[in-house]
Amino acid sequence: MASFPNFLLSLVLLATLLSTPALCYINPSTARPQQNVAEPSAYRSYIVLVEPPRSDAGEDAHRRWHESFLPSLHAGESIESRLLHSYTEVFSGFTARLTKAELHSMAKKPGFMRAFPDRKLQLMTTHTPAFLGLRNGTGFWSEARYGKGVIVGLLDTGIHAAHPSFDDHGIPPPPPRWKGSCKAARCNNKLIGAKSFVEDDSGDEDGHGTHTSSTAAGNFVPGAYHGVGTGTAAGIAPGAHVAMYKVCADNQCDESAILAGLDAATKDGVDVLSISLGENTGTRFDRDPMAIGAFGAVSKGVVVVCAAGNSGPTPASITNDAPWLLTVAAGTVDRSFAAEVRLGNGKSIHGEALTQEAKPRSKLYPLLFSEARRYCEYGDENSVAGKIIVCEATVPEFQMPQVGRIIAAGAAGVVLFNDDISGYTTLLQDYNSTVVQVTAADGAILTSYAASSETRSLAAFNYNNTLLGIHPAPVVSWFSSRGPSFIIPGVLKPDILAPGLNILAAWPPKTDSASGPFNIISGTSMATPHISGVVALLKSIHPSWSPAAIKSAILTTSDMVNSTGGSILDQHHTIASVYDTGAGHVNVTRAADPGLVYDLGITDYAGYICWLLGKDGLATIVRNSSLTCTKLPKIEDVHLNYPTITVPMTSTPFTVNRTVTNVGPAKSTYTAKVDAPKSLVVRVFPKTLTFSKPGEKKTFSVTVSSHIGKELFFEGSLRWVSERHVVRSPIVVAAAAAGRSLVKNIT
Ligand SMILES: *[C@@H]1O[C@H](CO)[C@@H](O)[C@H](O)[C@H]1NC(C)=O
Ligand SMILES: *[C@@H]1O[C@H](CO)[C@@H](O)[C@H](O)[C@H]1NC(C)=O
Ligand SMILES: *[C@@H]1O[C@H](CO)[C@@H](O)[C@H](O)[C@H]1NC(C)=O
Ligand SMILES: *[C@@H]1O[C@H](CO)[C@@H](O)[C@H](O)[C@H]1NC(C)=O
Ligand SMILES: *[C@@H]1O[C@H](CO)[C@@H](O)[C@H](O)[C@H]1NC(C)=O
Ligand SMILES: *[C@@H]1O[C@H](CO)[C@@H](O)[C@H](O)[C@H]1NC(C)=O
Ligand SMILES: *[C@@H]1O[C@H](CO)[C@@H](O)[C@H](O)[C@H]1NC(C)=O
């Protein structure tokens, strides 16, 4: 590829950087959503859903229609101070500043449908850090033209446009269908769109948006440097265009701004939307502006990729769980920023450190662990001088100054071990000092060694820089939100697992930290843009595929096992369940050629919405007068033609039908293979599917009988196997899905 000259300076770091998805990153200091307690007379923002204007005569007509709902203005008040956003594309309505009384009288006007108080959502980042098999020269990446011609939109904190990741060398001009505009320090053929829906329209004060954008579609940056190595950095779809919709400021993202971003991105013509934001779990889809706005985008053919949330490992903590979304969980990559803790007894513990020291230190120092100071609550006392202090990790924001004091008091170093909940998930934090982070299991080894009185316990640090090929990987990260979904227990969520721990990607230059131009952060926020990048590559190869077909391709080709065939593990190194991983870990090269896809269209989702929420729900979410619940078949969640299969645990056999579309060789024959535990009996009919032309559809049924016991769920899988393809769907038999009528009752 002449357009990417010499970009592969270091295969090692290229792989390292590539494994970085981004932005449901959880910021510990702002982890809780802000609760608005409004006084009756106080103004607050409401997102107001109205019927579309009678004449669909463009944006001005929409705006006038929206203005007609506003209360009469007080002297000196401008319309702009009341009407904050006017939506036309994915939502019919607006955001306005209103008092409760004004809202009540507005609700009486013809055409008013519903209002939601505007809420603040959080960025999905945990401070964080690829091994997806994309290598220069391998057929797939160049076959997908590195995502050229595809437009990736992001709703995020903005973008540091001057970053070398957004240089446009080798990138063609945007396609003619692009209608967006760009207002940024540097717009070019890479960064083709930048709009702000928050007051601060500067670049990216936070860094999150720069990180996620570069993960999804950052260009090749030779000689990228971070404290832990030098090499070529690149996003998953380095040839794709980027459009940033800034909807967050100060770590908060108003739903009204998110909706404005969704509206603009859909109008502008993005192909993929990457949303590393989330909100509380369990919100009904007709009360969730993000789900409603995303439905509008999906119905225009945009693939919407969202973070699963960082509320794990609590079961049923998933967010962004609507079936039209692609919901991404976060796992580890096979990379370590290695720092060994060598003990006086000859043992060695594998730790990690973002601040690596160049010169080896062979000297052993006494190791100190005090149960009373378990969390590093030391003063300036002399007791720490010349020692290596062992503490349990808490919140980095709190611990940073504590560690600073310990080092200032003359300690030789600090070892922070993970708590039991995070287990093997070491969320790296740059302490800019002699700090090594270790797992909970190694923490137990260290504390007992430190406490052993027989010998004086000693330790030293050895820095090994970036190591690849770390086992086991991938491992589900503790913070990644888990299924099942409260609202849609009959559809497996999350959908897919992608890299989200300790991800290295672009960062704005900052005065308050050593970071930039690259930084390592974590979260389902970081996992999301990896999948958005994969979607961009698939869109480049298969421009006409529906969002559901692209999702199906990614899910049915994913890996349930690691590269040596072992099960994917969780943060405690026990076998991960489907509620941790979704269909499995993304396999980019296989996703491009799935053989068969499970497709779904707007009418299917509409039928599901009729079943779940009735005609009011349909009017709120779908807003298409040619679709009415009286004419649509009501589709239960379990019967959606989803690429994963969930059935309720019932005493009688339960049957679901699925339809697959041939996107592989014209003539092909697939045979059903079922893997299931003994307590499940799964029958597939027919057992063979024979296709004779491309695009041909075949329907089959899956009947599951289960032994009801104490288990909350069982998992197995159905694989359709042909000479060249394996199309795998997990089968989940869930007690929760049997309670789906219960969910209907609470909604
Ligand atoms: C990357 O791959 C392309 C296409 O296979 C090739 O033309 C180019 O020389 C490669 N670049 C490097 C640095 O290996
Ligand atoms: C993806 O699938 C290919 C082909 O089956 C396999 O060789 C590879 O190990 C898988 N995993 C990754 C990360 O590429
Ligand atoms: C780390 O570095 C030390 C000292 O240089 C060396 O003895 C050790 O084998 C290295 N460990 C790994 C895992 O490479
Ligand atoms: C694969 O997983 C098994 C456990 O399921 C683990 O023992 C092994 O180290 C893993 N291999 C890799 C390459 O991660
Ligand atoms: C990191 O530490 C070094 C010396 O220990 C100091 O010079 C530098 O300013 C520190 N950087 C930050 C961002 O604190
Ligand atoms: C409304 O639904 C019909 C039937 O599915 C479809 O053909 C049409 O494109 C939809 N209209 C919009 C605006 O999405
Ligand atoms: C599955 O398909 C069969 C044959 O078309 C039909 O009789 C049955 O009602 C379908 N079952 C469901 C649950 O849709």
Side-chain angles (χ1 to χ4, degrees):
M1 300 284 302
S3 39
F4 292 116
N6 298 326
F7 66 72
L8 213 132
L9 287 186
S10 152
L11 200 78
V12 171
L13 196 70
L14 176 64
T16 311
L17 291 161
L18 283 177
S19 40
T20 310
L23 202 142
C24 223
Y25 110 116
I26 300 168
N27 186 330
S29 56
T30 54
R32 293 283 139 247
Q34 188 176 303
Q35 293 295 329
N36 283 315
V37 190
E39 290 171 31
S41 63
Y43 286 99
R44 64 173 295 183
S45 302
Y46 291 92
I47 299 171
V48 181
L49 176 71
V50 297
E51 284 170 10
R54 278 199 201 94
S55 68
D56 194 12
E59 278 179 41
D60 289 346
H62 272 95
R63 174 112 189 161
R64 281 194 301 276
W65 168 242
H66 297 158
E67 286 174 6
S68 76
F69 284 89
L70 294 180
S72 42
L73 302 175
H74 305 300
E77 227 178 11
S78 67
I79 289 191
E80 290 68 33
S81 67
R82 291 302 203 108
L83 188 64
L84 305 181
H85 300 281
S86 182
Y87 312 108
T88 56
E89 194 77 8
V90 298
F91 188 85
S92 172
F94 53 89
T95 298
R97 276 172 51 76
L98 301 167
T99 64
K100 268 230 158 89
E102 286 171 340
L103 179 67
H104 280 304
S105 47
M106 182 186 286
K108 295 189 186 105
K109 297 196 178 175
F112 175 95
M113 293 177 68
R114 176 173 283 185
F116 320 87
D118 190 10
R119 288 173 303 178
K120 292 190 186 297
L121 304 192
Q122 327 148 33
L123 295 171
M124 291 288 178
T125 315
T126 346
H127 288 287
T128 356
F131 77 126
L132 295 181
L134 293 173
R135 301 268 187 280
N136 187 38
T138 59
F140 173 70
W141 221 9
S142 52
E143 191 193 328
R145 301 172 59 238
Y146 306 94
K148 276 187 203 170
V150 180
I151 303 163
V152 180
L154 299 102
L155 303 189
D156 216 302
T157 62
I159 190 165
H160 179 63
H163 196 281
S165 290
F166 309 118
D167 191 288
D168 68 352
H169 60 88
I171 315 285
R177 63 193 160 74
W178 172 246
K179 295 196 215 51
S181 60
C182 192
K183 246 186 87 182
R186 176 176 71 167
C187 297
N188 56 19
N189 288 338
K190 167 57 78 179
L191 181 61
I192 60 168
K195 286 183 179 164
S196 176
F197 300 94
V198 295
E199 273 175 35
D200 160 29
D201 65 353
S202 64
D204 179 11
E205 288 290 302
D206 183 279
H208 189 274
T210 301
H211 200 277
T212 53
S213 306
S214 68
T215 300
N219 210 338
F220 293 96
V221 182
Y225 173 79
H226 181 272
V228 284
T230 305
T232 295
I236 302 297
H241 305 289
V242 172
M244 172 58 65
Y245 298 86
K246 183 168 182 172
V247 300
C248 306
D250 299 332
N251 259 297
Q252 301 259 316
C253 322
D254 290 339
E255 282 184 322
S256 57
I258 293 170
L259 205 43
L262 276 162
D263 207 53
T266 307
K267 217 178 291 177
D268 289 350
V270 305
D271 300 303
V272 191
L273 256 173
S274 195
I275 309 184
S276 294
L277 313 165
E279 60 141 338
N280 300 330
T281 47
T283 306
R284 287 170 49 147
F285 301 140
D286 60 340
R287 292 182 188 163
D288 178 356
M290 178 111 113
I292 299 172
F295 187 93
V298 170
S299 59
K300 303 266 154 90
V302 180
V303 185
V304 183
V305 187
C306 289
N310 296 338
S311 306
T314 312
S317 52
I318 193 98
T319 184
N320 296 325
D321 48 359
W324 46 91
L325 302 176
L326 182 41
T327 313
V328 188
T332 64
V333 297
D334 67 341
R335 171 187 58 194
S336 169
F337 303 104
E340 268 175 9
V341 184
R342 192 159 47 86
L343 303 182
N345 63 9
K347 280 196 189 132
S348 206
I349 283 172
H350 175 91
E352 290 190 85
L354 283 189
T355 307
Q356 297 260 332
E357 278 175 23
K359 48 179 198 292
R361 287 211 260 163
S362 52
K363 187 169 181 252
L364 289 158
Y365 296 95
L367 196 63
L368 173 66
F369 172 71
S370 153
E371 188 55 60
R373 307 258 158 93
R374 188 179 181 92
Y375 306 106
C376 266
E377 315 94 314
Y378 292 87
D380 298 332
E381 58 253 59
N382 298 329
S383 61
V384 299
K387 294 180 186 150
I388 289 180
I389 314 303
V390 180
C391 322
E392 182 169 321
T394 60
V395 180
E397 270 72 0
F398 295 154
Q399 221 153 24
M400 200 84 81
Q402 292 172 328
V403 166
R405 274 196 294 276
I406 292 172
I407 298 291
V414 173
V415 182
L416 292 175
F417 62 90
N418 297 340
D419 63 16
D420 288 338
I421 292 172
S422 46
Y424 287 90
T425 303
T426 305
L427 212 86
L428 293 175
Q429 180 73 33
D430 195 351
Y431 288 91
N432 189 34
S433 105
T434 323
V435 175
V436 173
Q437 295 181 249
V438 305
T439 64
D442 287 334
I445 294 173
L446 276 176
T447 53
S448 72
Y449 172 66
S452 62
S453 52
E454 289 148 43
T455 52
R456 212 167 139 241
S457 36
L458 297 171
F461 293 166
N462 285 332
Y463 293 94
N464 299 66
N465 285 306
T466 306
L467 296 181
L468 294 181
I470 296 297
H471 296 194
V475 172
V476 180
S477 298
W478 69 267
F479 55 79
S480 187
S481 287
R482 312 298 155 108
S485 159
F486 269 122
I487 307 293
I488 185 164
V491 165
L492 176 63
K493 289 283 175 173
D495 288 307
I496 192 82
L497 179 67
L501 183 70
N502 303 333
I503 302 302
L504 178 55
W507 201 251
K510 287 197 173 187
T511 47
D512 64 335
S513 76
S515 58
F518 291 91
N519 193 14
I520 293 170
I521 54 173
S522 309
T524 51
S525 267
M526 281 62 247
T528 302
H530 282 107
I531 296 297
S532 304
V534 172
V535 171
L537 297 175
L538 295 194
K539 270 270 183 185
S540 180
I541 301 180
H542 308 291
S544 65
W545 284 13
S546 72
I550 286 183
K551 180 197 282 184
S552 177
I554 293 173
L555 267 56
T556 62
T557 57
S558 65
D559 288 312
M560 274 309 282
V561 293
N562 63 29
S563 61
T564 51
S567 299
I568 295 178
L569 304 177
D570 68 11
Q571 72 279 0
H572 292 127
H573 281 184
T574 53
I575 295 176
S577 87
V578 282
Y579 289 131
D580 306 333
T581 62
H585 192 264
V586 62
N587 188 308
V588 189
T589 39
R590 274 207 307 257
D593 181 21
L596 305 173
V597 293
Y598 293 77
D599 208 353
L600 273 167
I602 293 311
T603 48
D604 303 293
Y605 297 129
Y608 161 69
I609 293 163
C610 289
W611 170 77
L612 183 72
L613 300 162
K615 67 177 182 11
D616 291 345
L618 191 77
T620 304
I621 302 169
V622 181
R623 303 177 318 278
N624 179 333
S625 52
S626 63
L627 298 171
T628 60
C629 286
T630 48
K631 292 197 200 122
L632 287 166
K634 290 190 172 34
I635 305 179
E636 268 181 68
D637 50 5
V638 293
H639 294 301
L640 273 172
N641 196 42
Y642 217 79
T644 55
I645 298 171
T646 302
V647 299
M649 207 183 280
T650 53
S651 52
T652 51
F654 195 94
T655 301
V656 294
N657 293 347
R658 288 288 194 268
T659 301
V660 284
T661 308
N662 182 21
V663 295
K667 291 194 187 349
S668 45
T669 301
Y670 289 83
T671 313
K673 307 252 195 255
V674 168
D675 300 301
K678 282 198 190 71
S679 36
L680 293 186
V681 179
V682 178
R683 290 205 169 74
V684 179
F685 181 80
K687 285 193 173 60
T688 308
L689 299 176
T690 304
F691 295 89
S692 56
K693 49 180 190 283
E696 193 177 355
K697 291 181 186 290
K698 295 272 175 186
T699 297
F700 59 91
S701 70
V702 179
T703 302
V704 183
S705 318
S706 49
H707 293 286
I708 300 185
K710 281 201 249 27
E711 290 84 354
L712 291 172
F713 63 97
F714 296 110
E715 54 180 276
S717 69
L718 164 63
R719 285 175 298 137
W720 286 106
V721 180
S722 74
E723 264 173 39
R724 278 183 42 198
H725 295 96
V726 178
V727 187
R728 189 182 51 84
S729 295
I731 300 175
V732 191
V733 183
R740 61 202 191 285
S741 53
L742 211 161
V743 173
K744 276 199 82 169
N745 291 344
I746 60 158
T747 57

